[in-house]
């Protein structure tokens, strides 16, 4: 049975002190056991501190990136082994901002996925089309190519450690959300592509999250859809009550 997951993606927000304050706020609002897994994706500098702070709580921790190289002379990079050593359990990879602003290609992402898994991290792998691609009705082609380019080389066992996040680029940080029907349609398509590659059981067990201006007000309708298993949340993960409202949608 697949998991329902609400994952935050802080992006490049919060100093260390602000991040600690947010985690304390989250711990104080998440008193009852939620009906979903809760993950917070933080900048590298928070990982060790936050992982320590959430021990024994329902909150799990994700990095927002890792290097495509194992170790060595790559100034400024952070390896998957380093991420794992902080206590983080997940790594977000393939976010459209990384693809666009940092030129992360399918090949680079494939290397990152392999290193994250080899180091015992689970992966939240992001896919999604641009507005121009949606207007040209190419969204299915785009998400399929993104899966084929960076995660479909994995064994079924390794693919089982991957969560997919569908994030239409035109909905990220824009306040424009895909309608629940639009999101469900492409989530079902993504699951069918996974089924064609790995079979029914793996497809049914894969969590597929929706991302893009997801908030407390639209989460219930999105999460009620059969193929939407939670959300990857940017803006609304930066304030504990907003993030909790989304968790409460389950
Ligand atoms: P948003 O970001 O919730 O601010 O739209 C989502 C994401 O990019 O993960």
């Amino acid at each position: 049975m697949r998991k329902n997951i609400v994952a935050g993606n802080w992006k490049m927000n919060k100093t260390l002190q602000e991040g600690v304050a947010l985690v304390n706020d989250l711990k104080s609002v998440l008193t009852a056991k939620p009906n979903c897994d809760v993950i917070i994706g933080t900048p590298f500098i928070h990982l060790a501190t936050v992982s320590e702070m959430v021990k024994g709580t329902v909150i799990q921790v994700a990095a927002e990136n890792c290097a495509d190289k194992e170790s060595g002379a790559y100034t400024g990079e952070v390896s998957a082994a380093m991420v794992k050593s902080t206590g983080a359990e997940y790594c977000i990879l393939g976010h459209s901002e990384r693809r666009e602003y940092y030129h992360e290609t399918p090949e680079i992402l494939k290397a990152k996925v392999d290193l994250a898994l080899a180091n015992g991290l689970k992966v939240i792998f992001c896919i999604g089309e641009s507005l121009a691609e949606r207007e040209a009705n190419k969204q299915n082609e785009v998400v399929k190519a993104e899966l084929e380019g960076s995660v479909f080389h994995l064994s079924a066992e390794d693919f089982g450690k991957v969560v997919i996040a569908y994030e239409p680029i035109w909905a990220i940080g824009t306040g424009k959300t895909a309608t629940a029907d639009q999101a469900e349609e492409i989530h079902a398509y993504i699951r069918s592509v996974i089924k064609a590659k790995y079979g029914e059981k793996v497809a049914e067990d894969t969590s597929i999250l929706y991302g893009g201006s997801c908030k407390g007000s639209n989460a219930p309708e999105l999460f009620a859809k059969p193929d939407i298993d939670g959300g990857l949340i940017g803006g609304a993960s930066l304030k504990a009550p907003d993030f909790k409202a989304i968790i409460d949608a389950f």
Side-chain angles (χ1 to χ4, degrees), residues 10-226:
W10 292 2
K11 308 193 180 184
M12 196 174 73
N13 292 296
K14 306 284 177 193
T15 63
L16 181 57
Q17 292 73 21
E18 289 164 352
V20 165
L22 175 54
V23 173
N24 278 326
D25 288 349
L26 282 172
K27 283 164 69 171
S28 60
V29 296
L30 293 177
T31 43
K33 191 175 164 10
N35 294 320
C36 61
D37 280 14
V38 176
I39 303 169
I40 50 177
T42 80
F44 291 131
I45 63 128
H46 299 77
L47 292 174
T49 308
V50 167
S51 296
E52 197 57 42
M53 289 178 74
V54 302
K55 267 191 190 151
T57 75
V58 297
I59 303 170
Q60 295 173 283
V61 179
E64 298 174 15
N65 183 23
C66 72
D68 61 339
K69 305 287 193 305
E70 211 168 311
S71 67
Y74 301 102
T75 303
E77 287 294 291
V78 174
S79 73
M82 292 173 188
V83 168
K84 179 69 181 178
S85 74
T86 66
E89 290 168 71
Y90 283 88
C91 190
I92 300 170
L93 291 172
H95 195 283
S96 56
E97 290 153 14
R98 303 252 11 129
R99 293 179 193 260
E100 183 179 349
Y101 307 142
Y102 302 97
H103 314 296
E104 294 193 0
T105 63
E107 295 71 35
I108 291 172
L109 290 170
K110 187 175 174 188
K112 292 186 177 203
V113 166
D114 287 343
L115 283 165
L117 294 173
N119 284 283
L121 293 164
K122 287 175 269 189
V123 170
I124 300 174
F125 189 74
C126 307
I127 57 178
E129 81 286 355
S130 66
L131 184 58
E133 288 161 343
R134 165 74 55 173
E135 282 170 352
N137 200 29
K138 291 206 166 121
Q139 61 274 15
N140 288 6
E141 250 174 78
V142 170
V143 294
K144 184 165 185 260
E146 286 176 332
L147 292 168
E148 288 172 346
S150 309
V151 291
F152 272 5
H153 65 289
L154 297 173
S155 67
E157 190 192 341
D158 276 343
F159 189 80
K161 298 167 198 155
V162 177
V163 170
I164 302 297
Y166 166 69
E167 301 200 303
I169 299 167
W170 47 272
I172 296 176
T174 57
K176 229 176 142 176
T177 326
T179 65
D181 287 336
Q182 262 176 337
E184 169 57 21
E185 189 182 0
I186 192 154
H187 278 233
Y189 171 74
I190 292 164
R191 201 178 303 286
S192 77
V193 172
I194 297 169
K195 183 178 165 187
K197 170 73 188 168
Y198 291 106
E200 171 103 44
K201 163 122 181 51
V202 171
E204 284 304 313
D205 286 350
T206 302
S207 299
I208 307 176
L209 314 184
Y210 170 80
S213 301
C214 184
K215 42 191 184 287
S217 55
N218 56 29
E221 198 190 346
L222 287 160
F223 297 174
K225 296 290 181 187

